[in-house]
Amino acid sequence: MTTTTASTPRSTMRPSPIATGILILGALYCLVPVIWVVAASTKSASELFTTFTLFPSTHLFENLAQLSAYRDGLFWRWMLNSALYAGVGAVASTWVSALAGYVLAKFRFPGKSAVFSILLTGVLVPGVILAIPQYLLLAQFELTNTYWAVLLPQIISPYAIYLARIYAAAAVPTDVVEAARTDGAREFAIFNRIALPMMLPGLVTILLFQFVAVWNNFMLPYIMLGDDQLFPVTVGLSGLLNQGASAPSMYTLVIAGALVSVIPLVLLFLILQRFWRVDLAAGAVKA
Amino acid sequence: MTTATTPSGSSGSRTGVPETPEEPIDTAVLGPAPRRRPVGHGFRARVLTPYGMLAPAIILFLAFMAAPILYTVVLSFQRVQVQGLGLGSGARTTVFAGFANYVAALDAEFLASVGRVLLYGLILVPTMLGLALLFALLLDSKRSRATRFSRLVIFLPYAVPGVIASLLWGFLYLPAVSPFYFITEALGIDAPTILSSGLIVFGLANIGLWGGVGFNMVVIYTSLKAVPSDIYEAARLDGCSEIQIALRIKVPIVFPALVMTGLFSLIATLQVFAEPTTLRPLTNALSTTWSPLMKVYRDAFTRDDLGSAAATSVVIAVVSLALSFVFLRIVQKRAFGQED
């Protein structure tokens, strides 16, 4: 976080224990499930139900080995599937959105505002409500229960297009585009070689948010997929918990799986901290 | 390719004025003062190129948003009629059902699920936005410490999928493995069962709060940061306390951000699906129709009653759309008021 260049620096103000205390309490609340899952994943099945769960034990690697052994490493397949859905989906979605956003920001053409309005109407048509109709439609083409069924519907994101348009309008000077046109450059080349690099910082933000949205999505893959070899980790673990209800020994697997599944996104989040531009993602443009 | 977009606007293509150095050749070939410009570079640059570049977005939009919506609307007015034993080809035909599916869909079960989700939203949204606002103001206050740490940690649950969050909290609600119940039991306190039918809605709201408070906090905090700090300086010189500054200046400034996050959260609560679905194996308190979307899922996949599922989807979508138009109004005015 960058401190503002205010005339009163933070250090000269008297610190308030109440203000700091409330923030720390909030942070603790957010950490409770994380601390719990770290501690619980070190316990054997019998310890889980008999000892105080926040005291760690020594069975972490056993639990991880058990998780890896579960149906020949099915869990790792789920992790790879999640990475594939989120990675490919986010890149494709960002590129499509960038292209559309750029055209909507930098071209004048008949029907432009109509196209934009229709796309924008899609912003709050909730993705989850579309999931069942998408299933019915894809079933007509026998595309359900394939990778495509989860990948394709998530490429179109009206919200990402909306953000890309804001970003293109701000980051790509019209003069530069005009100059390239006068030099006879093709429009696609102008976009790929000139506009895209200029939009890159904003696009990284869109990419990250799309990645998280796809990684966290549950309903679409839950509906589309029947074959557990194609599951992303969210659907896989949910199914595992379902089995755990009848065989509580599965709980250690679910807990270890939950811990492992959270690590990649938390790392992504911490490493790429400066790209989490929530202001941009929330559409908060300074008036 | 060669013609740049002209500043003359949409009527530009009608005038016979040459727009590029290449144009005079065309006019020479066509003779003087052509009524209509032929389809050439102008049309291509003005219409074909932008639409060509928009094609991926438009095609995906039509295929995965517009078509499914239309298909659902069609399905919602249809009913499968089974003749005889329903065997053989032609035994099952779809017939127009009028509003029968809608009447059937809006049954007591659906209304009960809407009621539960409304209660869930009433608990979740004000709590989440209130806490997000409080945390944002505290982060912005110069008297707070450990702000970097708190901001990071409170935002962190955003990176945890709803399913995993439900899993983690589900275990924390489960008396056999929860540290809370371990402590209350040791102290001899009879703690209430969160996984009971009376309290499960609070348990679910807590999961939503945990996952959403940080994101909303950062949205509000960002809009606070956009304010020039001399306003606060002036207020301080006038003898305003930090709390007065927060309530009288900062809260009104972030009000639009609050409205936006509020709308987003409301619409999100209407669609709650992953959390109750994940918690179901841990408790008997969650029926298969706990939320409206869970009912849609059950109708479509367990009961094979597509007409009813489609009708319910349409109802949920219409309500969401009504909300999103409010949103559109706000956003479009703020972001695109001056453009075009």
Side-chain angles (χ1 to χ4, degrees), chain B residues 12-33:
Chain B
S13 58
R14 296 265 162 190
T15 62
V17 179
E19 290 165 29
T20 64
E22 286 169 49
E23 216 63 0
I25 303 162
D26 282 359
T27 30
V29 172
L30 290 164

Side-chain angles (χ1 to χ4, degrees), chain B residues 1-339:
Chain B
M1 317 283 144
T2 45
T3 35
T5 47
T6 50
S8 50
S10 55
S11 62
S13 58
R14 296 265 162 190
T15 62
V17 179
E19 290 165 29
T20 64
E22 286 169 49
E23 216 63 0
I25 303 162
D26 282 359
T27 30
V29 172
L30 290 164
R35 281 266 158 76
R36 286 184 59 201
R37 274 170 48 91
V39 176
H41 283 118
F43 179 74
R44 212 161 163 190
R46 227 178 297 279
V47 179
L48 289 187
T49 308
Y51 277 100
M53 291 170 84
L54 278 174
I58 292 177
I59 290 168
L60 285 165
F61 180 86
L62 291 177
F64 295 107
M65 299 196 85
I69 291 171
L70 281 178
Y71 190 54
T72 312
V73 172
V74 169
L75 276 176
S76 74
F77 289 105
Q78 279 180 350
R79 165 169 70 86
V80 177
Q81 204 164 47
V82 182
Q83 275 152 4
L85 291 169
L87 303 169
S89 62
R92 290 166 72 92
T93 45
T94 48
V95 293
F96 180 70
F99 282 94
N101 286 327
Y102 286 88
V103 175
L106 297 173
D107 58 358
E109 224 174 10
F110 177 74
L111 294 178
S113 74
V114 171
R116 282 188 289 266
V117 166
L118 277 181
L119 177 64
Y120 165 77
L122 272 177
I123 299 167
L124 173 59
V125 177
T127 316
M128 183 165 69
L129 292 188
L131 278 178
L133 177 65
L134 175 69
F135 290 148
L137 288 172
L138 290 176
L139 284 181
D140 197 50
S141 162
K142 293 203 169 59
R143 296 183 60 188
S144 308
R145 296 295 178 269
T147 50
R148 195 187 149 83
F149 166 79
S150 310
R151 194 179 81 128
L152 195 66
V153 171
I154 297 173
F155 188 42
L156 206 65
Y158 173 75
V160 178
V163 169
I164 309 293
S166 311
L167 248 161
L168 299 181
W169 280 106
F171 281 117
L172 289 172
Y173 297 157
L174 206 63
V177 293
S178 168
F180 300 126
Y181 286 98
F182 195 93
I183 292 169
T184 52
E185 213 171 286
L187 295 173
I189 304 165
D190 203 15
T193 325
I194 301 170
L195 293 172
S196 65
S197 55
L199 295 179
I200 190 72
V201 67
F202 290 94
L204 285 166
N206 176 56
I207 297 171
L209 174 72
W210 186 75
V213 72
F215 183 82
N216 289 300
M217 171 192 79
V218 178
V219 171
I220 297 168
Y221 177 70
T222 311
S223 75
L224 272 177
K225 278 275 161 252
V227 179
S229 55
D230 16 327
I231 298 180
Y232 307 140
E233 283 306 309
R236 259 176 221 124
L237 288 176
D238 285 347
C240 266
S241 70
E242 286 296 306
I243 289 171
Q244 279 174 320
I245 291 175
L247 292 181
R248 300 222 181 130
I249 304 175
K250 291 181 181 179
V251 171
I253 283 172
V254 298
F255 196 72
L258 273 177
V259 171
M260 257 176 48
T261 49
L263 263 164
F264 268 130
S265 313
L266 258 181
I267 287 158
T269 58
L270 262 183
Q271 314 163 26
V272 62
F273 180 82
E275 291 83 357
T277 305
T278 310
L279 280 190
R280 278 199 67 235
L282 298 178
T283 170
N284 295 323
L286 289 165
S287 63
T288 49
T289 57
W290 192 86
S291 83
L293 271 187
M294 288 170 79
K295 184 177 184 290
V296 172
Y297 179 84
R298 187 209 58 178
D299 288 348
F301 293 99
T302 315
R303 294 203 168 163
D304 208 15
D305 183 359
L306 291 181
S308 179
T312 314
S313 299
V314 171
V315 171
I316 302 172
V318 166
V319 174
S320 303
L321 261 182
L323 286 173
S324 66
F325 270 112
V326 178
F327 166 86
L328 245 155
R329 270 272 146 83
I330 299 165
V331 170
Q332 233 171 357
K333 267 193 190 137
R334 288 188 66 207
F336 297 108
Q338 290 90 350
E339 220 190 306

Side-chain angles (χ1 to χ4, degrees), chain A residues 88 117 121 152 155 169 180 193 208 215 225 237 247 259 273:
Chain A
V88 176
S117 296
T121 312
L152 288 178
I155 292 176
R193 292 202 205 122
L208 279 174
W215 183 284
L225 304 174
L237 281 180
L259 175 70
Q273 240 191 91

Side-chain angles (χ1 to χ4, degrees), chain A residues 44-46 48-49 63 66 243-254:
Chain A
S44 68
S46 59
L48 191 63
F49 294 98
N63 289 337
Q66 221 185 335
Q243 295 177 35
S246 48
S249 60
M250 295 291 264
Y251 281 169
T252 51
L253 281 191
V254 178

Side-chain angles (χ1 to χ4, degrees), chain A residues 206-254:
Chain A
I206 294 178
L207 186 85
L208 279 174
F209 278 94
Q210 288 297 111
F211 188 93
V212 172
V214 180
W215 183 284
N216 289 1
N217 197 345
F218 172 74
M219 195 179 181
L220 186 76
Y222 182 69
I223 286 173
M224 291 287 182
L225 304 174
D227 178 1
D228 61 12
Q229 298 286 322
L230 302 180
F231 283 179
V233 73
T234 48
V235 178
L237 281 180
S238 172
L240 216 53
L241 181 68
N242 228 328
Q243 295 177 35
S246 48
S249 60
M250 295 291 264
Y251 281 169
T252 51
L253 281 191
V254 178

